[in-house]
Amino acid sequence: DTGVSQDPRHKITKRGQNVTFRCDPISEHNRLYWYRQTLGQGPEFLTYFQNEAQLEKSRLLSDRFSAERPKGSFSTLEIQRTEQGDSAMYLCASSFGRGTEAFFGQGTRLTVV
Amino acid sequence: SQQGEEDPQALSIQEGENATMNCSYKTSINNLQWYRQNSGRGLVHLILIRSNEREKHSGRLRVTLDTSKKSSSLLITASRAADTASYFCATDLAGGTSYGKLTFGQGTILTVHP
């Protein structure tokens, strides 16, 4: 059981740089979600995919953020021109079908200096 | 804005005692899920309860759901120091294309003292 895998676990970047995170969902799961969590808060929804289709994007996802899920397998989340306010834990989750449990990865902690 | 609100925000108990956390939400749901998060780590799924269910058990965990009051509770019996973590409820809202998207509360920080 490999679970949801995220890479890297930690990323420190300078303001203005671009960063990309990767998520590998549980293999049979067709739905993939990205969330962002700041200290002391619950996770906030960013976007989700059903297979390769991006079905919903939160207003939190500015134009500097882009997510892809080519071929409906792994997903990447890219942040361009990072800002200090982007510092957070970025969590990926996957689920199979509608109304089922969503399983989370360990997250990527981003620090923008 | 966050859909769910957990109560209390923090709970401190002794090992062996029971811990009860509550979650309230605002709109109709398909299901409600409880998660645990240890400091700086990912979320671990605990229990999913569907809108047509009233109670579910898993080991030392008991979850209830009252859709008329739009509330849920998580009971951890015979708590252990290893249960120390933040606990979140998350709602899967009914209807539309958001099926499966989870909306989280701010969590309850549980501390179990040995």
Side-chain angles (χ1 to χ4, degrees):
Chain A
D1 179 11
T2 56
V4 178
S5 177
Q6 291 189 245
D7 182 70
R9 293 288 308 278
H10 303 274
K11 178 71 176 180
I12 300 174
T13 190
K14 292 183 178 178
R15 190 174 51 190
Q17 297 293 305
N18 299 345
V19 294
T20 300
F21 310 141
R22 176 179 171 124
C23 171
D24 287 273
I26 294 171
S27 58
E28 62 268 26
H29 286 183
N30 60 352
R31 289 177 175 244
L32 185 147
Y33 310 83
W34 285 98
Y35 292 82
R36 181 171 67 188
Q37 185 180 26
T38 54
L39 197 63
Q41 302 294 315
E44 293 181 294
F45 169 79
L46 291 179
T47 189
Y48 93 90
F49 294 83
Q50 182 170 339
N51 299 312
E52 67 274 10
Q54 188 174 19
L55 295 186
E56 186 173 349
K57 293 169 60 173
S58 163
R59 280 174 247 171
L60 292 175
L61 217 63
S62 76
D63 291 345
R64 296 184 298 105
F65 288 71
S66 63
E68 295 182 342
R69 192 183 183 197
K71 302 178 183 177
S73 56
F74 71 92
S75 176
T76 58
L77 177 67
E78 180 183 17
I79 309 174
Q80 296 182 327
R81 305 181 303 281
T82 52
E83 302 173 354
Q84 286 189 320
D86 297 331
S87 295
M89 174 80 89
Y90 290 84
L91 294 160
C92 176
S94 69
S95 68
F96 179 71
R98 309 175 74 179
T100 61
E101 295 89 343
F103 294 95
F104 282 77
Q106 290 295 304
T108 295
R109 181 168 295 284
L110 173 67
T111 302
V112 181
V113 297
Chain B
S1 63
Q2 306 251 310
Q3 153 85 326
E5 294 185 4
E6 281 96 341
D7 173 61
Q9 291 188 342
L11 181 60
S12 181
I13 60 174
Q14 296 295 127
E15 223 170 16
E17 295 181 339
N18 295 343
T20 299
M21 288 160 269
N22 302 296
C23 170
S24 61
Y25 58 92
K26 298 174 183 174
T27 59
S28 296
I29 62 171
N30 290 305
N31 64 68
L32 185 146
Q33 305 184 38
W34 284 91
Y35 289 85
R36 183 186 75 226
Q37 185 177 39
N38 291 89
S39 181
R41 308 292 296 274
L43 283 81
V44 174
H45 189 272
L46 297 177
I47 286 185
L48 179 153
I49 187 165
R50 302 188 191 285
S51 59
N52 61 353
E53 297 175 314
R54 292 297 166 257
E55 187 171 311
K56 285 190 83 169
H57 297 256
S58 176
R60 295 184 295 112
L61 306 181
R62 172 179 171 252
V63 168
T64 61
L65 179 65
D66 186 336
T67 53
S68 67
K69 295 181 179 178
K70 292 186 170 59
S71 67
S72 174
S73 67
L74 170 67
L75 168 67
I76 304 174
T77 60
S79 63
R80 306 166 181 168
D83 294 328
T84 295
S86 293
Y87 290 81
F88 294 92
C89 70
T91 50
D92 179 355
L93 303 183
T97 59
S98 299
Y99 208 116
K101 176 181 82 172
L102 295 176
T103 305
F104 286 81
Q106 291 189 320
T108 293
I109 300 172
L110 173 66
T111 304
V112 182
H113 299 280

